[in-house]
């Protein structure tokens, strides 16, 4: 596993961004796409249909873009089967492993902003509402979901390294490290 200061062995064509909910995966994916000229596919937009219903074509859509030569996307929906499609094709994983206070602050700020602005997210969906932040159901309460999955990638990365030895993994432990890493790539 590389740190933000280690040089990459080569410039990748297919990149996965891993991290807990609210860590900044989509923002980093867009920025990496801009720096390296990669198509950013926002995987949430493939998964969520109107009224937050899962799209039946989700895995077919993932297979289609994963077959392309150049892309960057968020590494999500692993329980839905994306690992078997994305990990074998990817070359680089950027793992956002920020402190809790950073990811919690980002998630609260993002959720409130999207709610107040009624920002359209994917396929006509908007933020589910601030009242959902008090639900005891992690499928409804994004803060509870973040808390329950906070250590998922930290627990999972040793297995990822074993199962997918072709992947170069860069751990980004703080937003300053990410900014420094992005500057080095430009």
């Amino acid at each position: 596993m590389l740190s933000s200061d280690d040089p990459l062995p080569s410039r990748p064509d297919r990149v996965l961004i891993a991290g807990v909910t609210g860590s900044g995966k989509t923002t980093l994916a867009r920025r990496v796409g801009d720096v390296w000229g990669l198509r950013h596919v926002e995987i949430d937009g493939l998964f969520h249909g109107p009224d937050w219903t899962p799209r039946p074509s989700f895995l077919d859509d993932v297979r289609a873009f994963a077959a392309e030569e150049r892309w960057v996307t968020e590494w999500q929906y692993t329980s839905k089967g994306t690992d078997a499609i994305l990990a074998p094709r990817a070359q680089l994983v950027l793992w956002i492993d920020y402190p809790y206070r950073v990811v919690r602050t980002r998630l609260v700020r993002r959720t409130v902003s999207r709610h107040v602005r009624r920002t359209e997210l994917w396929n006509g969906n908007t933020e589910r509402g601030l009242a959902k932040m008090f639900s005891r159901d992690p499928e409804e309460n994004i803060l509870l979901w973040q808390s329950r999955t906070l250590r998922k990638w930290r627990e999972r990365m040793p297995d990822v390294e074993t199962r997918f030895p072709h992947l170069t993994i860069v751990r980004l432990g703080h937003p300053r490290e990410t900014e420094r890493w992005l500057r080095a790539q430009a």
Side-chain angles (χ1 to χ4, degrees):
M1 185 173 309
L2 302 178
S3 76
S4 59
D5 294 324
D6 296 322
L8 294 177
S10 62
R11 181 170 286 182
D13 291 321
R14 294 174 298 281
V15 180
L16 291 171
I17 312 293
V20 70
T21 299
S23 61
K25 293 181 300 293
T26 300
T27 299
L28 182 56
R30 282 189 196 116
R31 293 179 72 190
V32 167
D34 289 345
V35 168
W36 285 338
L38 303 175
R39 179 167 95 97
H40 172 225
V41 178
E42 190 170 357
I43 203 162
D44 277 326
L46 299 180
F47 184 78
H48 295 291
D51 298 319
W52 296 101
T53 57
R55 294 178 60 248
S57 64
F58 172 63
L59 288 178
D60 290 334
D61 293 341
V62 172
R63 282 185 198 91
F65 90 76
E68 296 175 13
E69 285 305 309
R70 297 177 47 77
W71 48 260
V72 58
T73 193
E74 305 82 13
W75 199 356
Q76 300 181 140
Y77 304 103
T78 59
S79 66
K80 308 293 185 201
T82 60
D83 271 8
I85 300 165
L86 296 173
R89 291 281 297 147
Q91 297 164 318
L92 173 68
V93 175
L94 296 176
W95 172 27
I96 302 171
D97 188 28
Y98 296 166
Y100 173 77
R101 70 184 182 287
V102 172
V103 295
R104 179 59 77 157
T105 300
R106 284 181 169 193
L107 182 61
V108 169
R109 188 181 314 130
R110 178 189 85 180
T111 302
V112 170
S113 173
R114 285 177 174 177
H115 176 75
V116 168
R117 294 179 178 168
R118 304 289 301 156
T119 304
E120 182 177 331
L121 302 173
W122 316 280
N123 302 311
N125 297 308
T126 57
E127 199 64 58
R128 293 181 182 194
L130 298 181
K132 299 280 186 181
M133 291 171 70
F134 300 101
S135 168
R136 293 192 179 270
D137 179 359
E139 296 291 328
E140 295 289 327
N141 180 337
I142 198 161
L143 299 177
L144 186 55
W145 178 260
Q146 183 190 58
S147 295
R148 290 217 174 146
T149 60
L150 189 63
R151 289 173 179 66
K152 170 187 160 188
W153 285 106
R154 196 168 290 167
E155 293 166 358
R156 193 164 181 248
M157 273 307 164
D159 183 56
V160 167
E161 287 181 299
T162 302
R163 285 181 54 213
F164 307 107
H166 71 283
L167 287 173
T168 299
I169 302 170
V170 177
R171 180 184 172 273
L172 303 167
H174 193 277
R176 285 186 301 270
E177 291 180 18
T178 302
E179 291 306 316
R180 189 170 59 242
W181 185 87
L182 281 166
R183 280 192 306 275
Q185 304 317 305

